[in-house]
Amino acid sequence: MPADRGRAAGPPTISEVAAEAGVGRATAARTLGGYGYVSPELRERVLAAAEKLGYRTNALARSMSTGVSHTLGVIVADIGNPFFAGVVRGISDTSRARGFDTIVLSTYEDLDEEVAATNVLIDKRVDGVIIASAAVDRTEVAHIKAAMDRGIPVVLVDRAVASLDLDAVVIDNRDAAREAVEVLITAGHRRIGFVWGPPVAQAPATRRGLLTAASRNLWTDGERLRGYLDALDDARIPFDPDLVMVGRKTEERATEEVARMLALPDRITAVFCTETDAVTGALRALRTAGLSCPRDVALIGFDDSSWAAVMEPPLTMIEQPVHQLGAKAAEVLLDTIAGTEPRREMHTLSSRLILRSSVAPPPAGS
Amino acid sequence: MPADRGRAAGPPTISEVAAEAGVGRATAARTLGGYGYVSPELRERVLAAAEKLGYRTNALARSMSTGVSHTLGVIVADIGNPFFAGVVRGISDTSRARGFDTIVLSTYEDLDEEVAATNVLIDKRVDGVIIASAAVDRTEVAHIKAAMDRGIPVVLVDRAVASLDLDAVVIDNRDAAREAVEVLITAGHRRIGFVWGPPVAQAPATRRGLLTAASRNLWTDGERLRGYLDALDDARIPFDPDLVMVGRKTEERATEEVARMLALPDRITAVFCTETDAVTGALRALRTAGLSCPRDVALIGFDDSSWAAVMEPPLTMIEQPVHQLGAKAAEVLLDTIAGTEPRREMHTLSSRLILRSSVAPPPAGS
């Protein structure tokens, strides 16, 4: 290591590397952080400058060069969702074991809040960011790119964002949904409600319209819808738009929509729920209609919890590896902070269907 | 406002006020922040210096004097507990409406983590801190005093800490517990389990021993235990140490302890649960014992949720004003940041008992 570089004491900063290379700071940050596009020629110049100045892309150097130390920032869509609380615990446990503290901001699914939260983390000089973003396309990711341009590595968790070439740690949403709906079909169900679908005002009448709406929705929700359609396709069950909830994604709305599906002439005999609040909404609708689960209506949902296990009946639920999701995201981020080249890939963890007692065959005559 | 004070541009800092007054920075911070003890003489000198230099204790001046802007730090015991998630939402909504962002750290009930979290918030230069502290006595609050000594106002939420003379926003835990247990007694119950009590290894044999153990436990837990004992006293039901769970506060342990109480020769016919995990633990024990609620065992618990409402039977639960708790804590803190003198009082909000169907008279012959 060059002990005397003829410059001010302390390790070189990204700005100094940039100046030495004759490039902008963002270009130097992208090169040294290992993300985003940098032309081979500029990349070469930055790396040569970094080597000459003795710039080391490890946690210590990074911390000193940016004046920060050992804090990860986490942005989640809703800390009130036990799923995200579990992910945050996984991030926290893993980062703590490697000497990092974790600060959390919750955006409550509001993109403006997400932009503000990202700015707070940049301002607070965190070493890296893990984000479950509400962004669905390239017009909504400028804030994430801004963090990256400042040399702050970013890892996505739970939700991939198509236009961002970043490491993303997710679960097998499509397979999980498909397996759950297959269990319902195997039990004999053909009228299976899907709660919830894309937040559009009107249910698209066609399957194609539905998939287009889903592609403008959160990645996780779209994947779960695709898994539902996969299972119907495999069983040659025609898609019926009446059985897909659209609109605002709230427990109240899930209650209304399941009530509507229960009032159809050819009513649902099963329901597949993609969120905890969709499950409680569906159960509320069943109770109000005087129907019982699983005798009248079978149910499977995301996410498993202690409550689901002690319900009467105990609910068949999909368990996401929440702690592992957070732990893996923290690992990938901390490795990047420590100087490992990001792999920029989708890390897909497996969920598990916990079979309990909320699935039975449809009532006779239905 | 003195436009030219013959010093560097920008409003005066606390350090400058301290120097002018000839006192330490902590003394100036305590005086200007309106917390902690400062002798009348020193207080006079600090206020005179502040006036001379034009020091203004409002958000803007405070922000500029400390180099920070518009961020509140929140430290909660466990963000995975829906109670705290709701409190954080209340804090976030209120602070956002007043132009402040909120960053959250979760300590998972570990005091060392709480100390580290406090240091992170000091380091990140937040304008104020709201904390649900795991500290139970004066030997455990040095980190909170350290934040205050740096001029960062602190408000307690959910949990009062006896040795800290601060604003605390809490609910009427003792009254809430008393009311719930009275409902059970009115229904005819006399063998009422209490889940959970202090985390001591052995159940204290005497009521006095139990209260001593409770006084070394979290304030909320102690208050709920006192409410339980109040209701027994009013009904002249003797205290039975066998009916109080002690030990680690986990769902698994609650299951074991309720199973034990159900196996007593004179078994419980009702259970009062002080936490969500205690409720699910108790329900698990009932299921395993082949008993049903409310036919065999009545149940009331903290905290109400969507799940509790859709259970079979729907559970009678205590609803805490979680959003309001957070909103009030944020209000008090933001007022202090804006220069209002802290009231240093206990702000007690009212909970509500939601009557549903988990309480019935004890089985005949019990």
Side-chain angles (χ1 to χ4, degrees), chain A residues 16-356:
Chain A
E16 286 166 348
V17 172
E20 175 74 28
V23 303
R25 192 181 181 288
T27 301
R30 277 203 296 277
T31 305
L32 298 169
Y35 61 82
Y37 177 76
V38 180
S39 74
E41 191 228 321
L42 292 187
R43 186 178 157 81
E44 204 49 52
R45 273 161 55 187
V46 171
L47 291 177
E51 195 178 345
K52 179 172 171 196
L53 297 183
Y55 181 90
R56 292 178 308 147
T57 52
N58 65 21
L60 184 64
R62 196 174 290 248
S63 159
M64 294 173 94
S65 70
T66 54
V68 214
S69 61
H70 297 102
T71 315
L72 302 187
V74 179
I75 299 177
V76 294
D78 186 357
I79 197 63
N81 184 332
F83 168 81
F84 287 115
V87 170
V88 166
R89 180 69 187 257
I91 293 170
S92 182
D93 287 349
T94 299
S95 56
R96 180 165 296 154
R98 288 173 63 171
F100 281 71
D101 291 299
T102 304
I103 65 182
V104 181
L105 292 97
S106 180
T107 64
Y108 305 106
E109 300 284 6
D110 180 317
L111 197 63
D112 289 340
E113 291 308 329
E114 182 176 314
V115 173
T118 307
N119 289 334
V120 169
L121 291 178
I122 291 171
D123 185 52
K124 299 302 180 195
R125 298 167 180 273
V126 297
D127 297 300
V129 170
I130 295 172
I131 183 167
S133 177
V136 298
D137 65 33
R138 65 182 63 249
T139 66
E140 299 180 336
V141 296
H143 58 294
I144 296 177
K145 289 188 168 163
M148 290 160 61
D149 284 345
R150 285 162 185 257
I152 302 175
V154 178
V155 168
L156 304 175
V157 73
D158 179 44
R159 302 165 176 187
V161 179
S163 62
L164 288 173
D165 181 25
L166 288 173
D167 279 291
V169 182
V170 301
I171 70 144
D172 53 349
N173 289 285
R174 185 169 182 167
D175 287 348
R178 178 185 190 138
E179 182 189 359
V181 177
E182 276 173 2
V183 165
L184 294 169
I185 293 172
T186 303
H189 297 276
R190 295 180 64 85
R191 301 289 291 165
I192 303 169
F194 182 83
V195 182
W196 39 60
V200 290
Q202 290 287 323
T206 65
R207 186 195 167 95
R208 186 172 175 175
L210 186 64
L211 284 170
T212 303
S215 71
R216 295 195 189 116
N217 191 11
L218 289 181
W219 178 82
T220 42
D221 287 358
E223 288 291 288
R224 291 172 192 182
L225 177 61
R226 284 183 196 94
Y228 166 78
L229 295 173
D230 288 344
L232 296 186
D233 287 352
D234 287 348
R236 300 179 193 283
I237 298 173
F239 158 69
D240 181 347
D242 278 350
L243 305 194
V244 175
M245 163 180 161
V246 293
R248 295 204 317 124
K249 301 188 281 185
T250 64
E251 182 183 313
E252 292 66 33
R253 177 94 187 122
T255 304
E256 287 167 17
E257 279 289 84
V258 173
R260 179 184 62 72
M261 296 177 200
L262 290 172
L264 291 172
D266 189 8
R267 72 166 175 82
I268 54 170
T269 61
V271 60
F272 175 59
C273 303
T274 65
E275 291 283 344
T276 297
D277 289 349
V279 172
T280 52
L283 290 170
R284 230 176 249 272
L286 289 185
R287 181 185 301 279
T288 305
L291 297 173
S292 116
C293 171
R295 200 191 57 213
D296 302 308
V297 178
L299 182 148
I300 301 183
F302 281 88
D303 293 318
D304 194 38
S305 69
S306 289
W307 281 110
V310 299
M311 292 289 290
E312 186 53 51
L315 304 179
T316 291
M317 296 285 269
I318 295 165
E319 179 191 63
Q320 298 199 59
V322 288
H323 192 275
Q324 205 191 333
L325 267 178
K328 181 72 185 175
E331 260 172 43
V332 171
L333 181 61
L334 290 165
D335 286 349
T336 306
I337 291 169
T340 304
E341 190 80 5
R343 290 162 63 186
R344 291 177 221 172
E345 69 182 35
M346 190 98 92
H347 306 262
T348 306
L349 308 185
S350 298
S351 62
R352 197 159 66 102
L353 184 65
I354 313 276
L355 296 169
R356 296 201 187 93

Side-chain angles (χ1 to χ4, degrees), chain B residues 25-37:
Chain B
R25 192 181 181 288
T27 300
R30 277 202 298 275
T31 305
L32 298 169
Y35 61 81
Y37 178 75

Side-chain angles (χ1 to χ4, degrees), chain B residues 12 17 20 32 45-56:
Chain B
V17 173
E20 176 73 27
L32 298 169
R45 275 163 53 189
V46 171
L47 292 176
E51 196 179 343
K52 181 172 170 196
L53 297 185
Y55 181 90
R56 293 177 308 147

Side-chain angles (χ1 to χ4, degrees), chain B residues 227-250:
Chain B
Y228 166 78
L229 295 174
D230 288 345
L232 295 186
D233 287 352
D234 287 349
R236 298 181 195 282
I237 297 173
F239 157 69
D240 180 348
D242 278 349
L243 305 194
V244 175
M245 164 181 160
V246 293
R248 294 203 317 126
K249 300 189 281 186
T250 64

Side-chain angles (χ1 to χ4, degrees), chain B residues 3 37 49 84 92 126 145 213 242 252 277 287 324 364:
Chain B
Y37 178 75
F84 286 116
S92 183
V126 297
K145 291 189 167 162
D242 278 349
E252 291 67 33
D277 289 349
R287 180 184 302 279
Q324 204 189 335

